Amino acid sequence: MELQGKNIVLGVTGGIAAYKAAELVRLLLGQGAAVQVAMTEAATHFVTPVTFQALSGKPVFTDQWDSRVANNMAHIDLSRTADALLVAPASADFLAKVAHGLADDLLTALVLARNCPLLVAPAMNRQMWDNPATARNLATLRGDGVSVLGPASGGQACGETGLGRMLEAEEIVAELIAFFQPKLLAGKRVLLTAGPTFEAVDPVRGITNLSSGKMGYAIARAAREAGADVTLVSGPVDLASPPGVERIRVSSALQMRDAVQQHVAHCDVFVAVAAVADYRPANPSPQKIKKGQQAKPPAIELVQNPDILAEVAALPNPPLCVGFAAESENLHEYAESKRRSKKIPLIVGNLIHHGFGGDDNTLTLFDDKGRHPLPPAPKLELARQIVARIAILLEKP
Ligand code: PMT
């Protein structure tokens, strides 16, 4: 329930993506928001107000002269209790009107008279998106403090392919949730590692571990929500990239180290969440190892992998480094000894049976001031607490 208590006015303009706005209402309600829908006349040609009324549980406003509002000023009243006005889909025509301060229907008048933030999710044909007039209007809107969500690139209802698709409803909800988070890392660059590594034994086998990537991806998302520019170096996991995060996919520890070294130069924070294999096979076989061709089962000789986090922490001008430690016992002692040996200011400890794979975790932070246990919680919630701690450390290291 990430939007519990939030009042959202959802504006719907005329475009085929209006059908996705119905799902958007459902998802917003699912996150605890109250949703009031206002539609342009053109939008009602794509989806009827009845659909939105049934989903939102509230009468829909389409007309500036709607007498249901006691003072007949729906364009003023609707935004006064709103935490945000979200317009999805936002057509090229609507964006042009708003950029120029026009107010010739309920929704544009509502936008002009609002006293809450405005977020728009553009949806239009790729040529309309590429048109310099649209680009100018978008620049004006951004300059006026409007948040522009997307658009995405891909197949369009008209049969063409390119930029201009509205973000999916889930992505818009994630952006809205991010919008409400405090911008504790605004202007900062954060580099993370997440997931397991895979160390090849032969072309089809390897050494890996049970990290799902969930903890690292949650921190990437939380850092992005907090306004940071985020690069996530990810081992092989089955997770979607968090919105707005640059993801670099790698497989082995050596590839992870290369990617980190390529991106570490300008970052302010490095968070190593990955469960990196400590060892890799010294001589991976280029061909599949066949059973029964040797007298004895083959022995796998291992060599040690570089310690990516320790290498970053030892740079002449290192970013703020945060490590993780997953232990099966003696969490305090082992985590603190890793923190000291890697010479990092903060390490996050978790017991193995809590950390790996699940959606929740139980964490303890270890820093120069001692240990700080956090109550068990979903990984995203814990990630936001870690981000808050990082923001404090950046202020007073
Ligand atoms: O992915 P999930 O399923 O959500 O699970 C999350 C997690 C349990 C994997 C995560 O919370 C976690 O604890 N990650 C660290 C696992 C661990 O115990 O790492 P380590 O003790 O091997 O390494 C300590 C630190 O050094 C870690 O920050 C690690 O990323 C880093 N390291 C380790 C070895 C190495 N060669 N390079 C490194 O950078």
Side-chain angles (χ1 to χ4, degrees), residues 209-234:
N209 61 68
L210 292 176
S211 168
S212 63
K214 288 179 185 173
M215 192 67 240
Y217 276 54
I219 299 177
R221 177 174 166 181
R224 192 322 176 114
E225 287 178 347
D229 196 353
V230 180
T231 304
L232 172 63
V233 180
S234 172

mmCIF file of all heavy atoms in Angstrom, residues 209-234:
data_model
loop_
_atom_site.group_PDB
_atom_site.id
_atom_site.type_symbol
_atom_site.label_atom_id
_atom_site.label_comp_id
_atom_site.label_asym_id
_atom_site.label_seq_id
_atom_site.Cartn_x
_atom_site.Cartn_y
_atom_site.Cartn_z
ATOM 1 N N ASN A 209 25.110 -19.290 -6.808
ATOM 2 C CA ASN A 209 24.474 -19.352 -5.484
ATOM 3 C C ASN A 209 23.027 -18.909 -5.597
ATOM 4 O O ASN A 209 22.542 -18.588 -6.690
ATOM 5 C CB ASN A 209 25.259 -18.486 -4.481
ATOM 6 C CG ASN A 209 25.289 -17.042 -4.913
ATOM 7 O OD1 ASN A 209 24.269 -16.368 -4.919
ATOM 8 N ND2 ASN A 209 26.464 -16.553 -5.299
ATOM 9 N N LEU A 210 22.333 -18.857 -4.488
ATOM 10 C CA LEU A 210 20.871 -18.682 -4.510
ATOM 11 C C LEU A 210 20.410 -17.227 -4.433
ATOM 12 O O LEU A 210 19.231 -16.971 -4.221
ATOM 13 C CB LEU A 210 20.245 -19.471 -3.338
ATOM 14 C CG LEU A 210 20.343 -20.994 -3.467
ATOM 15 C CD1 LEU A 210 19.783 -21.664 -2.204
ATOM 16 C CD2 LEU A 210 19.581 -21.473 -4.697
ATOM 17 N N SER A 211 21.308 -16.268 -4.629
ATOM 18 C CA SER A 211 20.855 -14.870 -4.596
ATOM 19 C C SER A 211 19.876 -14.628 -5.748
ATOM 20 O O SER A 211 20.164 -14.942 -6.899
ATOM 21 C CB SER A 211 22.060 -13.932 -4.732
ATOM 22 O OG SER A 211 21.609 -12.614 -4.976
ATOM 23 N N SER A 212 18.733 -14.012 -5.401
ATOM 24 C CA SER A 212 17.706 -13.736 -6.417
ATOM 25 C C SER A 212 17.876 -12.362 -7.042
ATOM 26 O O SER A 212 17.242 -12.037 -8.038
ATOM 27 C CB SER A 212 16.325 -13.782 -5.746
ATOM 28 O OG SER A 212 16.252 -12.742 -4.763
ATOM 29 N N GLY A 213 18.678 -11.516 -6.403
ATOM 30 C CA GLY A 213 18.831 -10.128 -6.870
ATOM 31 C C GLY A 213 17.835 -9.167 -6.242
ATOM 32 O O GLY A 213 17.935 -7.953 -6.421
ATOM 33 N N LYS A 214 16.855 -9.692 -5.475
ATOM 34 C CA LYS A 214 15.761 -8.826 -4.989
ATOM 35 C C LYS A 214 16.256 -7.687 -4.097
ATOM 36 O O LYS A 214 15.788 -6.562 -4.197
ATOM 37 C CB LYS A 214 14.719 -9.659 -4.233
ATOM 38 C CG LYS A 214 13.880 -10.535 -5.143
ATOM 39 C CD LYS A 214 12.889 -11.358 -4.334
ATOM 40 C CE LYS A 214 12.126 -12.328 -5.230
ATOM 41 N NZ LYS A 214 11.280 -13.252 -4.443
ATOM 42 N N MET A 215 17.212 -8.007 -3.212
ATOM 43 C CA MET A 215 17.691 -6.969 -2.283
ATOM 44 C C MET A 215 18.401 -5.855 -3.055
ATOM 45 O O MET A 215 18.151 -4.666 -2.851
ATOM 46 C CB MET A 215 18.630 -7.609 -1.252
ATOM 47 C CG MET A 215 18.976 -6.737 -0.063
ATOM 48 S SD MET A 215 17.554 -6.421 1.016
ATOM 49 C CE MET A 215 17.474 -4.646 0.940
ATOM 50 N N GLY A 216 19.283 -6.253 -3.977
ATOM 51 C CA GLY A 216 20.031 -5.254 -4.750
ATOM 52 C C GLY A 216 19.121 -4.430 -5.645
ATOM 53 O O GLY A 216 19.284 -3.213 -5.770
ATOM 54 N N TYR A 217 18.144 -5.107 -6.279
ATOM 55 C CA TYR A 217 17.224 -4.385 -7.157
ATOM 56 C C TYR A 217 16.369 -3.411 -6.341
ATOM 57 O O TYR A 217 16.036 -2.319 -6.807
ATOM 58 C CB TYR A 217 16.342 -5.364 -7.932
ATOM 59 C CG TYR A 217 17.005 -5.903 -9.195
ATOM 60 C CD1 TYR A 217 18.255 -6.508 -9.154
ATOM 61 C CD2 TYR A 217 16.384 -5.801 -10.437
ATOM 62 C CE1 TYR A 217 18.868 -6.996 -10.305
ATOM 63 C CE2 TYR A 217 16.988 -6.274 -11.599
ATOM 64 C CZ TYR A 217 18.224 -6.882 -11.523
ATOM 65 O OH TYR A 217 18.822 -7.354 -12.673
ATOM 66 N N ALA A 218 16.017 -3.814 -5.114
ATOM 67 C CA ALA A 218 15.212 -2.926 -4.259
ATOM 68 C C ALA A 218 16.014 -1.668 -3.907
ATOM 69 O O ALA A 218 15.474 -0.551 -3.904
ATOM 70 C CB ALA A 218 14.785 -3.664 -2.987
ATOM 71 N N ILE A 219 17.313 -1.842 -3.651
ATOM 72 C CA ILE A 219 18.129 -0.661 -3.314
ATOM 73 C C ILE A 219 18.308 0.217 -4.553
ATOM 74 O O ILE A 219 18.269 1.450 -4.459
ATOM 75 C CB ILE A 219 19.480 -1.073 -2.707
ATOM 76 C CG1 ILE A 219 19.234 -1.865 -1.420
ATOM 77 C CG2 ILE A 219 20.342 0.159 -2.401
ATOM 78 C CD1 ILE A 219 20.485 -2.389 -0.766
ATOM 79 N N ALA A 220 18.470 -0.417 -5.712
ATOM 80 C CA ALA A 220 18.570 0.375 -6.950
ATOM 81 C C ALA A 220 17.299 1.204 -7.128
ATOM 82 O O ALA A 220 17.348 2.397 -7.442
ATOM 83 C CB ALA A 220 18.774 -0.549 -8.145
ATOM 84 N N ARG A 221 16.151 0.568 -6.911
ATOM 85 C CA ARG A 221 14.886 1.288 -7.062
ATOM 86 C C ARG A 221 14.773 2.420 -6.046
ATOM 87 O O ARG A 221 14.380 3.541 -6.374
ATOM 88 C CB ARG A 221 13.713 0.307 -6.912
ATOM 89 C CG ARG A 221 12.385 1.004 -6.975
ATOM 90 C CD ARG A 221 11.216 0.045 -6.969
ATOM 91 N NE ARG A 221 9.990 0.802 -6.704
ATOM 92 C CZ ARG A 221 8.801 0.277 -6.611
ATOM 93 N NH1 ARG A 221 8.646 -1.023 -6.770
ATOM 94 N NH2 ARG A 221 7.740 1.026 -6.356
ATOM 95 N N ALA A 222 15.120 2.116 -4.790
ATOM 96 C CA ALA A 222 15.003 3.130 -3.725
ATOM 97 C C ALA A 222 15.937 4.313 -3.985
ATOM 98 O O ALA A 222 15.572 5.470 -3.744
ATOM 99 C CB ALA A 222 15.308 2.497 -2.364
ATOM 100 N N ALA A 223 17.136 4.021 -4.501
ATOM 101 C CA ALA A 223 18.089 5.107 -4.784
ATOM 102 C C ALA A 223 17.569 5.971 -5.925
ATOM 103 O O ALA A 223 17.675 7.198 -5.906
ATOM 104 C CB ALA A 223 19.457 4.523 -5.141
ATOM 105 N N ARG A 224 16.973 5.318 -6.918
ATOM 106 C CA ARG A 224 16.411 6.072 -8.040
ATOM 107 C C ARG A 224 15.214 6.919 -7.548
ATOM 108 O O ARG A 224 15.066 8.093 -7.903
ATOM 109 C CB ARG A 224 15.999 5.062 -9.100
ATOM 110 C CG ARG A 224 15.612 5.452 -10.527
ATOM 111 C CD ARG A 224 14.898 6.575 -10.801
ATOM 112 N NE ARG A 224 14.488 7.182 -11.944
ATOM 113 C CZ ARG A 224 13.221 7.316 -12.332
ATOM 114 N NH1 ARG A 224 12.272 6.676 -11.741
ATOM 115 N NH2 ARG A 224 12.919 8.076 -13.330
ATOM 116 N N GLU A 225 14.369 6.318 -6.713
ATOM 117 C CA GLU A 225 13.239 7.066 -6.146
ATOM 118 C C GLU A 225 13.725 8.293 -5.373
ATOM 119 O O GLU A 225 13.050 9.308 -5.312
ATOM 120 C CB GLU A 225 12.455 6.182 -5.166
ATOM 121 C CG GLU A 225 11.611 5.103 -5.796
ATOM 122 C CD GLU A 225 10.921 4.245 -4.747
ATOM 123 O OE1 GLU A 225 11.274 4.320 -3.546
ATOM 124 O OE2 GLU A 225 10.029 3.490 -5.115
ATOM 125 N N ALA A 226 14.919 8.147 -4.763
ATOM 126 C CA ALA A 226 15.465 9.244 -3.955
ATOM 127 C C ALA A 226 16.174 10.282 -4.823
ATOM 128 O O ALA A 226 16.806 11.194 -4.303
ATOM 129 C CB ALA A 226 16.424 8.685 -2.906
ATOM 130 N N GLY A 227 16.078 10.121 -6.146
ATOM 131 C CA GLY A 227 16.587 11.158 -7.049
ATOM 132 C C GLY A 227 17.971 10.892 -7.601
ATOM 133 O O GLY A 227 18.515 11.735 -8.320
ATOM 134 N N ALA A 228 18.563 9.719 -7.288
ATOM 135 C CA ALA A 228 19.924 9.446 -7.765
ATOM 136 C C ALA A 228 19.911 8.945 -9.208
ATOM 137 O O ALA A 228 18.909 8.438 -9.702
ATOM 138 C CB ALA A 228 20.586 8.399 -6.875
ATOM 139 N N ASP A 229 21.062 9.091 -9.838
ATOM 140 C CA ASP A 229 21.330 8.515 -11.140
ATOM 141 C C ASP A 229 21.919 7.125 -10.834
ATOM 142 O O ASP A 229 22.967 7.049 -10.194
ATOM 143 C CB ASP A 229 22.395 9.429 -11.769
ATOM 144 C CG ASP A 229 22.518 9.220 -13.233
ATOM 145 O OD1 ASP A 229 21.885 8.300 -13.723
ATOM 146 O OD2 ASP A 229 23.276 9.986 -13.865
ATOM 147 N N VAL A 230 21.242 6.056 -11.251
ATOM 148 C CA VAL A 230 21.608 4.735 -10.732
ATOM 149 C C VAL A 230 22.070 3.789 -11.840
ATOM 150 O O VAL A 230 21.407 3.646 -12.865
ATOM 151 C CB VAL A 230 20.407 4.092 -9.994
ATOM 152 C CG1 VAL A 230 20.785 2.712 -9.438
ATOM 153 C CG2 VAL A 230 19.909 4.993 -8.882
ATOM 154 N N THR A 231 23.207 3.148 -11.614
ATOM 155 C CA THR A 231 23.695 2.094 -12.515
ATOM 156 C C THR A 231 23.772 0.800 -11.707
ATOM 157 O O THR A 231 24.374 0.766 -10.632
ATOM 158 C CB THR A 231 25.097 2.444 -13.066
ATOM 159 O OG1 THR A 231 25.010 3.722 -13.705
ATOM 160 C CG2 THR A 231 25.564 1.414 -14.072
ATOM 161 N N LEU A 232 23.144 -0.228 -12.256
ATOM 162 C CA LEU A 232 23.055 -1.506 -11.553
ATOM 163 C C LEU A 232 23.791 -2.570 -12.358
ATOM 164 O O LEU A 232 23.397 -2.881 -13.479
ATOM 165 C CB LEU A 232 21.571 -1.879 -11.414
ATOM 166 C CG LEU A 232 21.215 -3.249 -10.875
ATOM 167 C CD1 LEU A 232 21.711 -3.430 -9.449
ATOM 168 C CD2 LEU A 232 19.699 -3.449 -10.923
ATOM 169 N N VAL A 233 24.847 -3.108 -11.787
ATOM 170 C CA VAL A 233 25.572 -4.207 -12.431
ATOM 171 C C VAL A 233 24.990 -5.499 -11.855
ATOM 172 O O VAL A 233 25.134 -5.771 -10.663
ATOM 173 C CB VAL A 233 27.091 -4.115 -12.159
ATOM 174 C CG1 VAL A 233 27.807 -5.272 -12.832
ATOM 175 C CG2 VAL A 233 27.642 -2.776 -12.646
ATOM 176 N N SER A 234 24.316 -6.231 -12.717
ATOM 177 C CA SER A 234 23.532 -7.361 -12.214
ATOM 178 C C SER A 234 24.048 -8.690 -12.718
ATOM 179 O O SER A 234 24.245 -8.876 -13.922
ATOM 180 C CB SER A 234 22.068 -7.178 -12.657
ATOM 181 O OG SER A 234 21.331 -8.333 -12.335
#
